[in-house]
Amino acid sequence: MTAKTRQPVLTAAGPAGDAPGWQARLARLYDSDICYSFRHAPLVVAAALLFLLMIFAAVFAPWLAPTNPYDLKTLNLLDSLLPPIWVEGSDPRFLLGTDSQGGGILSLIMYGARVSLTVGALAVSVSVSLGITLGLVSGYIGGKIDAVIMRIADIQLTFPSLLMALLIGGITGSVLPDRLQAQFAIPVVILALGVSHWPHFARLVRGGTIVEKEKDYIAAARLIGRSPFAIMFRQVLPNVLNPVLVLATLDVAFAVMGEATLSFLGFGVPPTQPSLGTLIRNGYAFLFSGEWWIVIFPSLTLVILVVAVNIIGDWLRDALNPKLR
Amino acid sequence: MTAFITRRTLQASGVLVVVSFIGFLLFTFTGDPVASILGLDATPADRDALRGRLGLDDPFILRYLTYALNAAQGEFGISYATARPVEEVIVERLPATIELAAVAVLFSLAIGIPLGVYTALNRDRWLARFVMTVSIVGVSLPTFVVGILLIFLFAVGLGWLPSFGRGEVVKLGWWSTGLLTVSGLKALIMPALSLAIAQSALVARLVRAEMIEVLRADFIKFARARGLRNRAVHFHHALRNTMIPIVTVTGIQLGFLFAFSIVAEAVFQWPGMGLLFLQSLGKTDVPVMSAFLILVAFFFVIINLAVDLLYMVIDPRLRIRHEIAEGVAGS
């Protein structure tokens, strides 16, 4: 079995130009500089594993969580405010204790991380799509359109994105009539976070586009009469996408942090579908009455998530920077 | 130099016009000031009279110009929630936020610069590496989580510091300061630290990166060759040349601290602008929201302008470069 899977790997080192199989590609990836530096950075490996574990736990929360904190039938007020199991007076069913409704903190965190990561990922997709579109148009067409778009980006970059998101989210929220507020709370958060971060992506894409558009294959595409939009999205985009994907991955951490901050301030995800930020907001009141676990564990989860992504990002920046090799 | 300042000031005023317009739009299209002021059981005649008095029947552009002119003179209308002039409410809250942000900047520079210099000079020591790893954690800590952890440790656990409010304040004219009383200083420590921790990690990383870059430069080699002492080389030659990015970052930081002070003020119930803004968002107090928006924009524009000008003070090379550029443009 192992011999069979090994064989193509050995042949992949043979004549160049062969279309390599997936094993060969994996082998090449394993031997690549970036993977070598990954394997030799134990902290980064640990962070990556932790990050994957958290995503896994969040995605499969309905199947993995010990209890369902949103199933009112299973909630029992007699279970409320139980401490974590290593503290006296705890219940072995609830590893990290319970909140005021009797929901297990561990389960709440898993479900909360699910909402947080979803909102984060969607917010990043908003900024990526906005950034790619505006960056491509700006870089490829140039001229006045470029000047206008980049001016707006510059102005927006001088404001902290959190403030921007808070303004967009808070103002949209307060403009909407009350009955729509709860319904649109999550889309508003996604939009606010997404819009607050597009300039980073737009700048990156614009820079790449300006380099690419001078190349021969673009001239060829123009010559055979492709429309500018087809060239932008079919020819230029695939060649400028790599750094965008890297930045997007890292940006999820910032979006999650932004979502948590907005929710903590009360302008984010509604309490009916708690995210990590909402959990921290709800638990904050209990900090002073001694039930510290309700707020501390969601806070730590958020910190670990963001730290893990930042460690990976920090390593990736160095690994991708040829100057530092 | 003058041309540069003029150009930047023009750009800055452009930004302010746009933001004040957004603030005005917000003002015009959200909520009904007449209903907010008179309540629901006013007569139509009363409403019409108030509409006329507030100038709501004037054409759109005229209303914007009135709004902008008033804003330029520091008048932002009447707050719906407190029925007091907005500028009065803001002036009351401003000192708290400025003191918080200023102390937080001091903290972050006082922690960040020494750590950055140390880690740059002792790159291979384990302590320096440890500091760098911890700084990644520092950069990623959300302000409100730091605040909560600090409260958990020092207010709930140890009981050393108050968990909310500003403590006793002393009035110096219209400025109320918490810096002159013991309870005021104690109340300031945790909010300022929760803002400063992430920023100091950022400063440390920046100073380290710049310092390493500068230490490789030729003039450092020459300074060493001249037989200067290490201390002179490190602090007079190297650190001085890292000042430009530090000034930029401190400028940007002031802005960020202003934004994040909203969060810190919410955690610590600090009676500043941030808390005021959050309350106005919650109550749809549009005049306060618009005023805050315009003030923040004003603040940022001033910071950016100041940072650009400081560059030239610090780095004489930039001054010459600008003069050359202007000379070319002028000829």
Side-chain angles (χ1 to χ4, degrees):
Chain A
M1 184 61 201
T2 45
K4 255 185 196 168
T5 46
R6 275 256 176 101
Q7 226 159 12
V9 177
L10 294 174
T11 53
D18 270 349
W22 64 271
Q23 290 103 331
R25 265 191 230 174
L26 262 187
R28 201 163 358 140
L29 184 68
Y30 187 79
D31 278 333
S32 66
D33 283 349
I34 197 152
C35 192
Y36 178 85
S37 109
F38 180 73
R39 278 182 281 134
H40 289 258
L43 188 69
V44 180
V45 175
L49 285 178
L50 206 58
F51 182 57
L52 287 179
L53 182 77
M54 289 175 99
I55 290 191
F56 183 77
V59 170
F60 295 101
W63 297 276
L64 290 175
T67 56
N68 180 354
Y70 301 110
D71 184 1
L72 293 175
K73 278 175 292 182
T74 62
L75 288 184
N76 187 346
L77 276 181
L78 292 177
D79 291 335
S80 68
L81 301 178
L82 290 172
I85 52 163
W86 57 89
V87 178
E88 215 167 302
S90 61
D91 185 316
R93 281 179 301 152
F94 302 107
L95 194 65
L96 300 179
T98 57
D99 71 350
S100 58
Q101 317 283 315
I105 297 291
L106 180 63
S107 313
L108 279 167
I109 290 177
M110 287 167 79
Y111 277 88
R114 206 167 186 227
V115 175
S116 285
L117 284 169
T118 314
V119 170
L122 287 175
V124 172
S125 3
V126 170
S127 7
V128 168
S129 353
L130 262 178
I132 284 181
T133 313
L134 292 173
L136 278 176
V137 168
S138 202
Y140 188 77
I141 296 177
K144 281 214 174 95
I145 296 179
D146 178 34
V148 169
I149 293 176
M150 281 302 120
R151 231 340 52 129
I152 297 173
D154 282 346
I155 293 175
Q156 208 187 312
L157 278 176
T158 57
F159 288 84
S161 54
L162 175 78
L163 192 63
M164 205 69 205
L166 193 62
L167 286 172
I168 302 173
I171 290 170
T172 324
S174 61
V175 168
L176 282 175
D178 285 342
R179 75 198 147 76
L180 292 179
Q181 264 181 31
Q183 206 181 334
F184 281 103
I186 292 183
V188 165
V189 176
I190 292 172
L191 202 72
L193 291 171
V195 170
S196 70
H197 256 211
W198 71 268
H200 301 275
F201 294 99
R203 281 194 163 183
L204 205 60
V205 172
R206 176 179 175 268
T209 307
I210 288 177
V211 175
E212 289 298 319
K213 79 169 177 185
E214 302 300 329
K215 292 191 179 163
D216 287 345
Y217 71 94
I218 299 295
R222 226 181 267 161
L223 211 62
I224 58 170
R226 293 204 94 172
S227 74
F229 277 91
I231 295 177
M232 275 187 241
F233 285 93
R234 305 286 293 276
Q235 255 88 28
V236 180
L237 184 58
N239 288 302
V240 299
L241 205 56
N242 274 342
V244 174
L245 292 181
V246 173
L247 185 65
T249 325
L250 300 180
D251 217 44
V252 172
F254 290 100
V256 167
M257 209 153 112
E259 179 278 318
T261 306
L262 286 189
S263 298
F264 177 77
L265 295 176
F267 298 98
V269 177
T272 45
Q273 247 192 327
S275 66
L276 287 176
T278 321
L279 288 179
I280 297 171
R281 178 183 170 82
N282 294 343
Y284 181 52
F286 293 94
L287 185 59
F288 301 99
S289 55
E291 287 89 12
W292 52 270
W293 55 89
I294 304 178
V295 58
I296 295 298
F297 290 125
S299 306
L300 289 181
T301 313
L302 181 66
V303 169
I304 292 171
L305 181 70
V306 181
V307 168
V309 176
N310 272 345
I311 288 177
I312 301 168
D314 204 56
W315 160 78
L316 205 58
R317 243 193 312 275
D318 288 353
L320 291 180
N321 186 352
K323 268 193 203 162
L324 293 177
R325 275 201 198 130
Chain B
M1 191 74 177
T2 349
F4 174 75
I5 297 175
T6 325
R7 199 163 56 232
R8 290 307 310 257
T9 316
L10 278 179
Q11 276 176 6
S13 1
V15 172
L16 281 181
V17 168
V18 171
V19 174
S20 68
F21 191 67
I22 296 173
F24 170 71
L25 284 183
L26 193 69
F27 202 64
T28 320
F29 291 110
T30 57
D32 180 3
V34 177
S36 314
I37 294 172
L38 289 180
L40 289 173
D41 41 54
T43 63
D46 280 348
R47 287 186 197 174
D48 284 343
L50 188 66
R51 284 186 71 83
R53 213 162 47 114
L54 293 175
L56 292 176
D57 296 326
D58 296 339
F60 184 76
I61 290 296
L62 190 66
R63 269 158 58 208
Y64 170 66
L65 284 179
T66 322
Y67 181 82
L69 269 179
N70 284 339
Q73 291 165 13
E75 283 170 31
F76 294 97
I78 310 281
S79 153
Y80 297 166
T82 54
R84 291 168 54 201
V86 174
E87 57 275 12
E88 211 179 286
V89 184
I90 285 179
V91 162
E92 215 175 81
R93 301 290 198 105
L94 202 58
T97 299
I98 292 181
E99 280 182 7
L100 179 61
V103 172
V105 167
L106 284 183
F107 275 4
S108 64
L109 293 179
I111 302 169
I113 294 181
L115 282 181
V117 171
Y118 175 79
T119 48
L121 295 180
N122 305 286
R123 270 211 279 172
D124 297 321
R125 291 215 190 140
W126 70 267
L127 185 60
R129 288 189 184 178
F130 178 72
V131 169
M132 286 316 289
T133 308
V134 171
S135 80
I136 302 183
V137 180
V139 170
S140 6
L141 285 173
T143 310
F144 69 103
V145 171
V146 180
I148 286 171
L149 294 178
L150 284 174
I151 289 180
F152 180 51
L153 200 63
F154 292 109
V156 177
L158 298 167
W160 289 352
L161 297 167
S163 63
F164 68 90
R166 250 187 116 186
E168 274 176 75
V169 291
V170 178
K171 279 259 173 203
L172 299 174
W174 60 273
W175 187 278
S176 66
T177 178
L179 297 174
L180 297 175
T181 59
V182 178
S183 71
L185 286 175
K186 273 171 104 177
L188 189 57
I189 295 176
M190 284 204 296
L193 258 189
S194 71
L195 283 173
I197 282 181
Q199 302 293 334
S200 62
L202 220 58
V203 171
R205 294 174 72 81
L206 184 88
V207 170
R208 174 181 179 270
E210 288 296 325
M211 201 65 181
I212 288 173
E213 194 99 331
V214 171
L215 283 174
R216 281 190 199 142
D218 285 340
F219 69 89
I220 296 291
K221 282 181 202 146
F222 284 123
R224 286 197 206 286
R226 268 161 59 204
L228 291 178
R229 275 202 224 112
N230 261 344
R231 217 177 52 181
V233 173
H234 292 158
F235 290 94
H236 277 224
H237 293 78
L239 186 60
R240 220 185 209 192
N241 278 287
T242 60
M243 281 326 265
I244 279 247
I246 296 176
V247 167
T248 331
V249 161
T250 311
I252 297 170
Q253 253 193 325
L254 263 175
F256 272 80
L257 287 171
F258 201 77
F260 284 100
S261 74
I262 297 178
V263 183
E265 286 177 16
V267 176
F268 292 97
Q269 291 299 302
W270 186 263
M273 296 266 294
L275 207 56
L276 178 72
F277 177 62
L278 286 178
Q279 286 161 351
S280 74
L281 273 184
K283 289 178 191 153
T284 327
D285 192 348
V286 186
V288 177
M289 277 155 64
S290 303
F292 184 84
L293 197 70
I294 293 171
L295 276 183
V296 167
F298 184 66
F299 186 65
F300 273 83
V301 162
I302 296 284
I303 287 178
N304 281 317
L305 203 61
V307 166
D308 280 340
L309 293 181
L310 263 181
Y311 278 177
M312 302 212 192
V313 176
I314 296 174
D315 194 342
R317 283 171 296 183
L318 280 179
R319 251 175 280 170
I320 297 165
R321 222 172 283 162
H322 268 289
E323 267 154 31
I324 293 170
E326 272 156 26
V328 171
S331 62

